[in-house]
Amino acid sequence: MTNDESDSSTCPRCDGPAKLYAEDKGAKSRASEDRSITVCSNCGTDEALRAFRRERLALPDEWPVKELLTWPRVPRSA
Ligand SMILES: [Zn+2]
């Protein structure tokens, strides 16, 4: 048995899996003070997109968030 809180398997922001793949380091939430809270990569993307769109970020008090933004689909060049 291990008791390693730093390796939590659930993202505190979206309640989803913290790691999308084995080596996934997640992201530091920009809504947390000093970026001290690690969230999943999807949440990192969501926060980056909301910041880009000048939307207000959900604070840790308001987590878990319901919807995550994703990058718009970009057509691949042939
Ligand atoms: Zn998340």
Side-chain angles (χ1 to χ4, degrees):
M1 291 287 284
T2 57
N3 186 18
D4 186 359
E5 289 185 33
S6 68
D7 195 27
S8 168
S9 58
T10 303
C11 169
R13 187 171 184 272
C14 68
D15 245 355
K19 293 185 177 185
L20 305 183
Y21 48 92
E23 298 301 311
D24 195 356
K25 295 283 194 290
K28 298 293 186 186
S29 171
R30 55 184 78 202
S32 62
E33 281 185 42
D34 303 329
R35 296 201 180 195
S36 55
I37 303 176
T38 300
V39 296
C40 70
S41 298
N42 287 340
C43 283
T45 299
D46 179 79
E47 288 192 339
L49 284 169
R50 289 183 194 279
F52 179 72
R53 285 156 50 143
R54 298 184 183 281
E55 290 182 24
R56 137 180 205 287
L57 295 176
L59 301 175
D61 281 355
E62 301 166 300
W63 296 354
V65 296
K66 300 254 186 326
E67 276 184 84
L68 297 181
L69 298 178
T70 55
W71 292 107
R73 292 203 180 95
V74 180
R76 289 184 198 172
S77 53

